[in-house]
Amino acid sequence: MGMNGSLPAGRRAAVVAGLRTPFVKAGTDFKDLSAVDLGALVVNELVARTGIAPKEFDSVVFGQVIPSATVTLVGREMVLRTQLPRNVQAHTVSRACATSIQTTTDAADQIQLGHSDCAISGGAESISDAPIFASRTLAQALVDVSRAKSLPDRVKIFSRLRPKDFAPVPPALKEPTTGLTMGESAEMMAQKNGISRGAQDDFAWKSHARAAAACDAGKFDGEVMHVPVPPRYDKVSAKDNIVRKDTTQDALGQLRPVFDRRYGTITAGNASPLTDGAAALVLMSEEKAKALGITPLGFVKAYAYAALDPRDQLLQGPAYAAPVALDRAGLRLSDMDLVDMHEAFAAQVLSNLKAFSSRAFAEKELGRAEPLGEVDPAKLNVNGGSIALGHPFAATGARMILQTLHELDRRKGQHALLTVCAAGALGAALVLERE
Ligand SMILES: CC(C)(COP(=O)(O)OP(=O)(O)OC[C@H]1O[C@@H](n2cnc3c(N)ncnc32)[C@H](O)[C@@H]1OP(=O)(O)O)[C@@H](O)C(=O)NCCC(=O)NCCS
């Protein structure tokens, strides 16, 4: 893309279709499915629904954030486990919670460069199938035992072990630099930015109310596939199962803080829950879409990634990335018909919004004279976000892109800004355009 946002004619990257599984609470309907199972289900169904001949696809970019010990290259598995021809090349990426923003901008870049004409982008996550590791001491003992020559040697090695060495080690959701979990970091952001418990609960309530209304209105029907639930396949998962139509501000206000039990403000109600699910998109060059008679849902107009020190405000990345993405698009916040912000925590969204509208933040942190501006609440996360819908890490970006493009179409709007905060204090921002 040129610095002025212009692209060679015909090489604009169009999003032409998308699909996701229902997003379900970890340990429920998808507990017997791995991330790669969920990914393959959605890619297969998406390709079938588009009616595009599988031979038209030339690449897959796919992600999974919690790695699987048995499947190391989820991208390629999206080819090998689906109807796509074996000669479709693929790769896997991770940008933590922004993974399927990254898969989409990777696919769009390849299209714009002329290296690709028709690609799949997406991500899958199974928190239910997260790997559980052995302790280092146990792992070392097992390696030593495999090398030991005699039975007494083996007994000697095992006798080194203590009961605590057998305790399973879950995958870390901690930030290595700080040793803090996401929740603890969000708690610090709430304090630093003066985000009250009431404001967080109010935001969470709206996320549920909007997601429930969208669901009732059938807005997700075309973007959520049905999944027969193993092992008996006697039930079908057809809907997101985290959205609470009946939640009240009162009920949310009763929940106990989880990350700082004494003074904290973050609860199970105003945080995104641990979720299983997958989502995928089809991207094409504008030219190819035209040749196949396909009307794009919209185009990738511009994007930016940014980072800050994880010891500072871990989930504030969007406030750094959004102004750059808008500059690259040649647009302003006020040009946006919709803004969709990933909701890791209500405290994080509200902190990001504060930074968007803060002159001091603009001057000190961004070196800009003017703040980005206030986000109109009527345009923000209009069909709910990750707090209500859930957050299967690698699938969230693709879910947001699809949901936003459909909503832009309903409103006959033209532009949308999407943002995602991610581990490592990363931020992603994407500008979508519909014609
Ligand atoms: C916050 C977290 C620890 C909560 O996990 P959990 O305790 O398993 O959550 P649950 O769904 O069981 O909810 C706990 C309770 O709150 C209640 N609750 C949750 N949301 C509610 C809502 N919207 N309204 C009313 N009650 C609610 C549940 O019913 C449950 O009540 P119960 O104990 O009486 O059954 C977990 O979701 C988490 O770790 N989230 C953060 C994930 C993260 O870090 N993501 C990275 C962001 S990028």
Side-chain angles (χ1 to χ4, degrees):
M1 189 183 299
M3 288 306 282
N4 60 1
S6 63
L7 294 168
R11 295 306 322 168
R12 282 201 304 170
V15 179
V16 301
L19 192 67
R20 66 177 174 92
T21 66
F23 283 2
V24 307
K25 193 169 154 58
T28 64
D29 287 351
F30 296 164
K31 69 177 168 20
D32 293 321
L33 294 166
S34 64
V36 73
D37 292 336
L38 289 166
L41 278 167
V42 84
V43 170
N44 234 344
E45 179 75 12
L46 173 61
V47 172
R49 285 194 190 189
T50 58
I52 300 166
K55 70 172 171 45
E56 300 291 347
F57 290 85
D58 55 48
S59 52
V60 172
V61 196
F62 218 78
Q64 176 182 353
V65 174
I66 307 278
S68 156
T70 47
V71 178
T72 50
L73 205 50
V74 67
R76 180 63 174 146
E77 291 302 312
M78 292 306 105
V79 176
L80 300 177
R81 297 193 191 199
T82 65
Q83 59 187 303
L84 292 173
R86 298 294 178 257
N87 64 355
V88 172
Q89 61 86 9
H91 72 284
T92 301
V93 302
S94 173
R95 198 189 270 277
C97 299
T99 288
S100 50
I101 299 290
Q102 184 70 51
T103 59
T104 303
T105 59
D106 275 7
D109 286 348
Q110 290 298 303
I111 288 169
Q112 288 170 7
L113 282 167
H115 296 171
S116 166
D117 263 321
C118 183
I120 300 267
S121 144
E125 208 70 50
S126 171
I127 309 292
S128 299
D129 187 40
I132 303 290
F133 302 101
S135 68
R136 290 284 294 180
T137 328
L138 177 58
Q140 193 59 54
L142 291 172
V143 171
D144 292 349
V145 160
S146 72
R147 291 198 194 120
K149 299 249 169 355
S150 67
L151 186 63
D153 282 353
R154 287 190 195 117
V155 171
K156 211 163 123 198
I157 292 164
F158 277 128
S159 68
R160 302 198 304 242
L161 296 169
R162 297 287 163 265
K164 71 172 172 41
D165 299 327
F166 291 93
V169 181
L173 282 176
K174 285 185 178 172
E175 192 61 34
T177 317
T178 60
L180 298 177
T181 62
M182 289 271 173
E184 288 163 341
S185 305
E187 196 67 82
M188 279 172 52
M189 288 175 70
Q191 275 179 27
K192 226 173 187 166
N193 302 311
I195 312 291
S196 71
R197 166 77 187 263
Q200 292 176 48
D201 286 348
D202 187 54
F203 185 85
W205 175 76
K206 278 196 197 114
S207 182
H208 280 277
R210 287 171 170 178
C215 199
D216 284 352
K219 285 187 176 178
F220 302 146
D221 289 355
E223 53 199 69
V224 178
M225 68 181 284
H226 295 186
V227 177
V229 178
R232 293 163 63 98
Y233 300 99
D234 54 353
K235 176 183 171 194
V236 172
S237 164
K239 267 185 164 172
D240 304 319
N241 76 3
I242 297 165
V243 183
R244 291 177 187 243
K245 195 177 177 172
D246 53 356
T247 198
T248 59
Q249 278 128 314
D250 216 34
L252 284 160
Q254 304 287 324
L255 298 175
R256 295 194 50 198
V258 275
F259 299 106
D260 174 352
R261 290 187 172 274
R262 266 185 101 168
Y263 303 110
T265 54
I266 297 178
T267 69
N270 60 37
S272 59
L274 297 171
T275 311
D276 297 336
L281 305 168
V282 176
L283 279 93
M284 266 186 193
S285 62
E286 188 175 11
E287 217 161 38
K288 175 94 171 182
K290 231 173 237 159
L292 294 177
I294 295 171
T295 310
L297 296 173
F299 295 89
V300 174
K301 173 92 174 159
Y303 65 86
Y305 296 99
L308 61 149
D309 188 331
R311 289 166 300 187
D312 193 6
Q313 300 209 36
L314 187 75
L315 304 173
Q316 198 72 315
Y320 296 80
V324 183
L326 285 169
D327 280 356
R328 288 178 180 166
L331 295 165
R332 299 163 68 89
L333 185 61
S334 53
D335 296 321
M336 299 296 114
D337 298 292
L338 290 170
V339 175
D340 207 78
M341 270 196 171
H342 161 55
E343 303 166 353
F345 300 90
Q348 155 267 320
V349 177
L350 296 172
S351 295
N352 278 282
L353 292 173
K354 259 197 165 169
F356 270 28
S357 59
S358 157
R359 185 170 297 275
F361 179 87
E363 285 171 358
K364 252 175 65 192
E365 295 294 326
L366 307 176
R368 290 172 177 250
E370 293 297 322
L372 198 61
E374 297 270 352
V375 175
D376 177 353
K379 294 179 178 174
L380 177 70
N381 296 10
V382 295
N383 293 317
S386 300
I387 289 174
L389 294 167
H391 174 36
F393 307 134
T396 288
R399 190 270 300 160
M400 291 168 64
I401 293 169
L402 185 60
Q403 198 168 306
T404 303
L405 286 173
H406 282 156
E407 187 59 32
L408 268 186
D409 185 49
R410 276 182 218 109
R411 295 178 177 222
K412 303 296 167 228
Q414 198 184 2
H415 292 117
L417 171 71
L418 275 62
T419 69
V420 182
C421 57
L426 295 167
L430 181 69
V431 180
L432 296 171
E433 181 171 55
R434 177 190 156 274
E435 288 187 336

